[in-house]
Amino acid sequence: MAANRYRLVIGNKNWSSWSLRPWLAMRRLKLPFEEINVRLRLADSKAEIMKYSPSGLVPLLLDGDMAIWDSLAILEYLAEAHPDAGLWPADRRARALARCVSAEMHSGFAPLRNTCSMELLATNPLDSVPEDVETNVRRIIAIWRQCRGDFGNDGPFLFGAFTAADAMYAPVASRFRTYLPDLAKYGDDGTAAAYVATIFAMPEMETWTEGAKAEVASAT
Ligand SMILES: N[C@@H](CCC(=O)N[C@@H](CS)C(=O)NCC(=O)O)C(=O)O
């Protein structure tokens, strides 16, 4: 029997934006778990993932013999299993907005995701930004402003305290830092830049980043 209730199957920390989401939430909310690392972009990656995940994708959460794949489904599962952990905002209107923006992230922003795939450790500002990517960036800046403006008074995160919405947008903060360091070019009044800094000031992000560096070092 595993020492921890939960096991979380994740990909490389430098690349796996979807893995970062539940990992960050679980670390932040102090839900202990065993980490199972699968290396992506290798000949046997798919076979390794398929040992755990019927979708062939990571992340996947194991709770005993129960498997939950998909980042947002994992966050919802954890929110139900740990109702006092505050994964979603307590206020019903805030919670509805948090779910809207999380779902919008989960199902959208394909141009940004495709053009600016997460490479946590890289600094690679884009010379020119395709129009569809810029549209995504402007929309995300507007989302962050709305959440922070309407519900962010009690802390530096989208809804004040850390919630699942921050877990969903943390990889976007990484993409912005790598590819689009000057968000003022896209209409940011400073709110989005401050939010990127908030995400990277999290000790849990530092731990994830250290893990990414160690993985890169061990792969070379
Ligand atoms: N909708 C899924 C997306 C998961 C996903 O695309 N994961 C990528 C890594 S970030 C993956 O497993 N890729 C492995 C592959 O394509 O072989 C989620 O939210 O968890």
Side-chain angles (χ1 to χ4, degrees), residues 33-49:
F33 62 95
E34 182 193 332
E35 195 175 302
I36 300 175
N37 303 92
V38 176
R39 284 173 65 180
L40 303 176
R41 306 185 193 174
L42 296 178
D44 64 348
S45 294
K46 196 53 102 182
E48 276 301 305
I49 296 173

Side-chain angles (χ1 to χ4, degrees), residues 173 192-202:
Y195 181 65
V196 170
T198 290
I199 293 294
F200 278 96
M202 292 174 68

